[in-house]
Amino acid sequence: MKRRKWLWIFVTIVIILTLALIVIGLLFGKDEKEKQNGLSGDFDISKQGTIAYVHYLQGKPEIHLYNPEQSLKMKALELENDQIIVDPSFSNDGSTLVYIAANKDSDEKLASTVYQYDLEKKEVKELFSVQSAITEIEFSPTGTSLFYLQAEVFKNYSPIASKRPHDFDLHEYRFADKKQMKHTNLKKYSMESLTIAQDGKSVFVQMPDDEDVNTAEGSFESFQRIFQIPLDQPTNLKVVSNPERKNDIYDFTVVPNKNEFIFQSVSNPDTGETFQYELYTYNAETKEEKQLTNLKEYTEGPEIAPGNKIYFMVDKRFGQRNSDYHLYQMNLDGTNITEIPLPNDK
């Protein structure tokens, strides 16, 4: 009897401890989701000068709109703290904003949903959803469709690397018939910084220059460059950044009415110190390159704003557990770098 009694006591203690650990785990998981606060690196600027930026409050992603010249300062929308908002993008007339929503806890089964926000009506509408990772989205110049980058797999190609989306291609969504179409079949290891040409006939993306690479390991030895993809013949893509550059190019934007790019790259690749990411300009006609910033931090996401200003984000805690993003602007030649305070940027 005593042995049975002690057995029941032991089982009861185990059950209580198990339940306690489950409760603690749930609470801890909730706390983790609520820890994300402040600006993310995702933002866009309309041709009318309105800034849309993503801000997290206790883990909840929000999109804020800010235009001091129009006395506009508002939170447009928010999602639950188990989701993220990626790449808000304005239409050319500034009346509409699209964005991507996805779950924070990504796994092998990916899912992304694209939404449209009407700035005048202040209404949100779901456009489409896919069981894949959509990472970037942009309006066509005519506003009749959306171009987006979609990945098909989510895994790590290296034992020391974390899981990430891979096998990227260029897609398009047409508003008129609500149809989605795939423009390329590249299955690129990575593809970023989607930019639509002004004439709407081609797109620019950053991806590895690995045409002759046949293995995943070999892709690590290729350089990231800027490519132009003609929409009528997407297989005839070409490198438009400096093909001889021996350092990777990351985020970039195209300067309107010029054959010129503003891009992000590492400024100290050979020092052995923590990498510093700065902005550069490259003129494809003159083949001239110039460093625009020298902040010695992590500078990313250049966007061309009205008045030929370059807006960009700086993460002042790059490489640490939590980021600390700040929005800056400067002239096209890199002069007059100033920080732009945003409402609720802390």
Side-chain angles (χ1 to χ4, degrees):
M1 287 294 293
K2 287 185 178 180
R3 181 178 296 179
R4 182 176 296 180
K5 178 181 179 180
W6 282 110
L7 179 61
W8 280 110
I9 293 174
F10 175 76
V11 171
T12 303
I13 292 174
V14 170
I15 292 173
I16 292 173
L17 288 175
T18 302
L19 291 174
L21 289 173
I22 291 174
V23 171
I24 291 172
L26 292 173
L27 291 175
F28 180 78
K30 181 180 179 182
D31 290 342
E32 283 296 311
K33 289 178 180 179
E34 292 178 352
K35 281 182 179 179
Q36 191 171 1
N37 285 288
L39 291 178
S40 78
D42 293 283
F43 77 101
D44 195 24
I45 303 176
S46 72
K47 288 182 170 57
Q48 295 71 33
T50 298
I51 304 170
Y53 59 95
V54 178
H55 177 270
Y56 285 81
L57 181 62
Q58 295 183 345
K60 290 186 176 182
E62 308 169 336
I63 291 183
H64 290 254
L65 302 175
Y66 179 57
N67 189 327
E69 294 186 1
Q70 298 181 2
S71 299
L72 175 62
K73 183 177 68 174
M74 62 173 287
K75 180 175 74 174
L77 57 95
E78 71 173 24
L79 302 181
E80 294 301 318
N81 60 14
D82 61 346
Q83 294 186 293
I84 59 173
I85 292 176
V86 181
D87 199 29
S89 301
F90 280 106
S91 59
N92 277 344
D93 62 5
S95 66
T96 304
L97 184 76
V98 293
Y99 61 94
I100 306 159
N103 291 329
K104 285 182 180 177
D105 301 324
S106 297
D107 53 23
E108 295 286 346
K109 189 175 182 181
L110 299 176
S112 300
T113 303
V114 175
Y115 292 92
Q116 174 180 283
Y117 177 77
D118 188 308
L119 273 69
E120 182 178 351
K121 297 179 181 178
K122 298 180 174 57
E123 294 178 352
V124 175
K125 175 184 177 182
E126 180 179 332
L127 295 180
F128 64 96
S129 183
V130 297
Q131 293 300 314
S132 298
I134 297 177
T135 56
E136 297 184 32
I137 193 163
E138 292 290 333
F139 276 93
S140 65
T142 60
T144 56
S145 67
L146 297 171
F147 289 92
Y148 57 96
L149 302 181
Q150 181 174 316
E152 296 303 329
V153 299
F154 184 75
K155 61 183 179 181
N156 51 343
Y157 284 108
S158 168
I160 62 173
S162 58
K163 290 184 178 181
R164 293 190 59 187
H166 299 295
D167 285 7
F168 280 89
D169 274 296
L170 173 68
H171 297 248
E172 184 179 5
Y173 171 82
R174 297 181 303 205
F175 286 103
D177 54 11
K178 300 181 180 180
K179 292 294 179 69
Q180 297 163 251
M181 59 185 297
K182 185 177 180 181
H183 283 283
T184 65
N185 191 32
L186 298 171
K187 296 186 183 298
K188 281 289 185 177
Y189 174 78
S190 65
M191 186 182 290
E192 300 178 7
S193 213
L194 173 64
T195 305
I196 316 303
Q198 285 182 283
D199 59 10
K201 296 180 180 180
S202 63
V203 304
F204 299 92
V205 294
Q206 170 265 320
M207 58 187 183
D209 189 4
D210 58 358
E211 183 179 358
D212 299 324
V213 174
N214 299 315
T215 64
E217 291 75 14
S219 65
F220 292 105
E221 300 176 1
S222 60
F223 291 103
Q224 303 285 337
R225 307 194 194 282
I226 301 173
F227 286 77
Q228 184 174 18
I229 304 175
L231 294 174
D232 58 346
Q233 293 182 311
T235 57
N236 292 342
L237 69 170
K238 64 178 181 178
V239 175
V240 290
S241 58
N242 183 357
E244 304 301 323
R245 196 175 201 274
K246 299 305 180 183
N247 291 324
D248 290 326
I249 287 176
Y250 299 107
D251 295 340
F252 75 90
T253 189
V254 181
V255 180
N257 304 314
K258 290 186 178 181
N259 197 3
E260 189 172 342
F261 304 92
I262 310 296
F263 65 90
Q264 176 207 49
S265 188
V266 175
S267 62
N268 60 337
D270 302 318
T271 63
E273 301 174 348
T274 301
F275 282 165
Q276 298 167 3
Y277 291 78
E278 305 289 355
L279 295 184
Y280 297 76
T281 181
Y282 174 73
N283 188 303
E285 293 180 357
T286 64
K287 313 300 181 185
E288 294 180 351
E289 180 180 307
K290 175 186 174 183
Q291 183 173 336
L292 297 177
T293 64
N294 190 30
L295 300 176
K296 302 184 186 304
E297 295 187 281
Y298 185 82
T299 303
E300 67 170 353
E303 296 282 351
I304 305 296
N308 279 334
K309 297 288 186 179
I310 303 173
Y311 279 63
F312 57 94
M313 284 285 187
V314 175
D315 183 359
K316 295 183 177 293
R317 286 204 295 260
F318 173 65
Q320 301 182 39
R321 183 179 179 87
N322 298 310
S323 298
D324 180 23
Y325 282 104
H326 295 255
L327 183 65
Y328 283 76
Q329 74 168 16
M330 65 180 174
N331 297 327
L332 282 177
D333 60 0
T335 59
N336 195 26
I337 298 178
T338 56
E339 183 174 355
I340 306 299
L342 293 173
N344 301 312
D345 65 351
K346 298 296 183 183

